[in-house]
Amino acid sequence: MTAPTAILEVPFFDYPALFRKREDQFVEVFREVSRRGAFIKQKDLRDFESSLASFLGARYVLGVGNATDGLEVALRAASIGPGDEVIFSSHTMIATAAAIHYAGATPVPVECGSDHLIDPTAVEAAVTRNTRAIMPTQLNGRTADMGALQTIAAKHSLVIVEDAAQALGSRFRGQSAGTFGVASAISFYPAKVLGCFGDGGAVVSSHSAVFEQACALCNFGYNLQGELVGWGFNSRLDNLQAAFLSLQLQDFVAAIERRRHLAGLYSECLANVAEVVRPPAPDSDPDHFDIYQNYEIEADQRDQLKQYLANAGISTLIQWGGLAVHQLERLGFTQHLPYTDWLFTRLLMLPLNMSIADEGVQYVCDKIRGFYGR
Ligand SMILES: *Cc1c(COP(=O)(O)O)cnc(C)c1O
């Protein structure tokens, strides 16, 4: 009889563990802010917005209700609307396309490249006389080739609005995701690299007119001087959430280093598994500083591997429920994107988060090697 192999439970994400890690500090922030009765548009929010702006090297940050609102507001503030086409990668959350739709423009999905981010060649091929913007998703914590996208944008007089929901702290040639275009949005959804206790997001811009327009849109149409300048929404980041975020921003650089360490570990441990395509390793390309919001591999026999890992106590996730945006025919998409179709039969996200131990990553890799008989 063989001894039963120990099963380690590796959850995909562990919210309670994240809370426990600094429970006392969170409770203290809650108490301190609540005692002041400081809930909407107070100092904690302003402080967080300015710390984040300096972290990013951007002029302005506006806390908003969530990144989906932020993307729509960014587009509207950049005067993108009815009759305009906006090109984005089909490998993204439906939120990217929904923001374009609700801004009144037409979402045009295109192929991604081998690093799973928008393919500049596909972008250029999709430009028509109605194209007004490119909306790259800085997917999985990696920033797209912004040099190539900026060249295309300049050539065709397009603006860039980044979906940087997954990319806080990621850089391309030293410049932060979220600062390349006219405006961008970042998400503080609890599972994002910087997460709050519910929904939250930010609009980032270095253009004063666009920023002022975004502020008015998110504040019922009132501009910073308190004058009503048009129709607006109500989309704000709660002051309390901003205070929780400021606390975590203090050691965010260390958090990123931890994520990069874990990604490096995966990269090493899976190096000899020919059936798995790994994301670029942390130091593999001097142009890219990746923060590994997700660790998304490509795997032969993906569905069988997922089940095998589940049997070993390991939770994995297939992003976007396994469907690229152009595959959502119900929403009227008709594009044929064969590379993305193929890729979506192979994608799988392995657990990479702030609660997983190095041993957890090694265990996952052992099981993957076991599955392929290596
Ligand atoms: C999470 C996410 C969003 C949406 O962010 P919310 O804050 O939940 O609205 C948009 N785009 C991408 C790529 C995301 O990962």
Side-chain angles (χ1 to χ4, degrees):
M1 222 177 91
T2 51
T5 30
I7 286 198
L8 202 66
E9 285 297 325
V10 185
F12 189 77
F13 201 88
D14 192 344
Y15 291 110
L18 218 53
F19 179 67
R20 280 195 307 270
K21 214 172 198 169
R22 50 203 328 168
E23 179 164 349
D24 292 346
Q25 285 173 296
F26 284 134
V27 171
E28 183 48 37
V29 165
F30 175 73
R31 185 177 291 129
E32 198 273 323
V33 171
S34 302
R35 279 186 175 158
R36 279 189 276 126
F39 298 116
I40 300 286
K41 282 167 100 64
Q42 297 299 307
K43 181 174 182 302
D44 308 86
L45 176 57
R46 289 192 298 273
D47 289 349
F48 173 65
E49 289 169 339
S50 64
S51 322
L52 191 61
S54 45
F55 175 77
L56 291 168
R59 277 172 76 188
Y60 311 108
V61 166
L62 172 69
V64 294
N66 56 71
T68 311
D69 282 2
L71 291 171
E72 180 185 341
V73 163
L75 288 165
R76 284 178 181 265
S79 307
I80 286 154
D84 299 337
E85 291 173 4
V86 179
I87 298 171
F88 68 102
S89 167
S90 191
H91 186 354
T92 188
M93 189 181 179
I94 186 58
T96 317
I100 298 166
H101 172 82
Y102 279 110
T106 304
V108 179
V110 298
E111 299 270 29
C112 59
S114 59
D115 68 352
H116 305 175
L117 275 77
I118 197 164
D119 175 5
T121 311
V123 171
E124 178 123 52
V127 173
T128 72
R129 42 201 284 273
N130 296 322
T131 306
R132 282 285 313 286
I134 308 170
M135 197 159 181
T137 294
Q138 314 297 24
L139 191 76
N140 297 331
R142 180 177 173 87
T143 308
D145 180 348
M146 297 310 294
L149 293 178
Q150 282 173 325
T151 303
I152 296 166
K155 182 169 158 197
H156 300 279
S157 307
L158 311 175
V159 299
I160 292 176
V161 174
E162 289 165 80
D163 180 343
Q166 295 194 351
L168 178 61
S170 167
R171 300 194 289 268
F172 177 75
R173 296 187 187 146
Q175 187 177 340
S176 295
T179 66
F180 287 91
V182 68
S184 71
I186 289 172
S187 175
F188 308 123
Y189 180 87
K192 303 286 158 114
V193 283
L194 186 69
C196 63
F197 292 166
D199 279 312
V203 172
V204 180
S205 181
S206 290
H207 298 250
S208 52
V210 170
F211 178 73
E212 280 167 29
Q213 186 60 25
C215 290
L217 279 167
C218 291
N219 189 33
F220 309 102
Y222 290 101
N223 69 10
L224 294 169
Q225 290 72 44
E227 296 163 65
L228 190 80
V229 292
W231 292 103
F233 314 97
N234 173 17
S235 185
R236 301 186 286 224
L237 179 64
D238 291 339
N239 191 67
L240 194 49
Q241 300 286 10
F244 293 134
L245 289 165
S246 279
L247 174 67
Q248 298 176 85
L249 191 58
Q250 287 170 15
D251 51 19
F252 186 61
V253 169
I256 289 175
E257 275 319 309
R258 173 73 190 151
R259 302 188 87 95
R260 287 169 55 81
H261 165 77
L262 292 168
L265 211 55
Y266 267 127
S267 214
E268 268 169 43
C269 298
L270 295 174
N272 298 319
V273 185
E275 294 85 351
V276 167
V277 178
R278 295 159 290 143
D283 293 312
S284 56
D285 181 342
D287 280 350
H288 289 271
F289 181 84
D290 297 349
I291 54 114
Y292 299 94
Q293 161 69 59
N294 304 308
Y295 195 80
E296 187 178 56
I297 61 166
E298 295 170 39
D300 292 356
Q301 300 169 263
R302 187 262 321 262
D303 295 336
Q304 291 92 320
L305 173 65
K306 186 177 186 358
Q307 186 56 53
Y308 181 89
L309 295 176
N311 295 343
I314 299 161
S315 300
T316 56
L317 204 70
I318 299 175
Q319 212 161 191
W320 328 127
L323 290 178
V325 171
H326 78 281
Q327 295 173 333
L328 302 168
E329 286 164 17
R330 184 176 289 187
L331 298 180
F333 291 105
T334 55
Q335 288 80 4
H336 294 287
L337 305 177
Y339 179 74
T340 303
D341 287 341
W342 173 78
L343 194 65
F344 268 64
T345 64
R346 296 171 49 75
L347 297 175
L348 187 68
M349 298 200 297
L350 305 179
L352 191 162
N353 54 61
M354 292 305 288
S355 331
I356 192 170
D358 289 10
E359 293 69 34
V361 169
Q362 262 136 15
Y363 175 73
V364 174
C365 296
D366 286 347
K367 292 296 165 189
I368 292 174
R369 282 200 299 264
F371 175 75
Y372 292 114
R374 285 174 185 277

